């Protein structure tokens, strides 16, 4: 049951995507685009979550 709620990999990826790229390792174009799209989707999700929380609190 503990394995189903392990969030370590999720947070590890979150911090890997937003850190500065390693100058010694040049990722290919597809990998850079994938990480760019993931950054955009994470930011949009967090923005939507904040909007939902604010709307919920304002209705109280």
């Amino acid at each position: 049951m503990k394995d189903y709620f392990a969030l370590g990999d999720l947070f590890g990826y979150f911090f890997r995507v937003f850190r500065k790229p390693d100058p010694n390792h040049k990722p290919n174009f597809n990998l850079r685009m994938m990480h760019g799209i993931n950054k955009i989707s994470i930011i949009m999700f967090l923005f939507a979550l904040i909007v939902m929380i604010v709307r919920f609190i304002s209705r109280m």
Side-chain angles (χ1 to χ4, degrees):
M1 191 64 145
K2 182 180 176 183
D3 293 334
Y4 290 115
F5 297 105
L7 298 176
D9 293 336
L10 175 70
F11 290 119
Y13 179 77
F14 181 75
F15 290 118
R16 273 195 320 264
V17 168
F18 287 104
R19 76 173 175 212
K20 191 172 183 176
D22 185 15
N24 297 328
H25 179 66
K26 294 287 183 186
N28 63 10
F29 179 76
N30 292 332
L31 187 61
R32 286 187 296 151
M33 289 298 109
M34 181 190 71
H35 285 301
I37 291 170
N38 285 345
K39 287 178 188 179
I40 292 169
S41 64
I42 289 171
I43 290 170
M44 288 177 63
F45 172 75
L46 291 175
F47 178 74
L49 192 65
I50 291 170
V51 168
M52 288 172 59
I53 291 171
V54 168
R55 292 177 86 188
F56 179 74
I57 291 173
S58 67
R59 289 182 183 187
M60 293 181 112

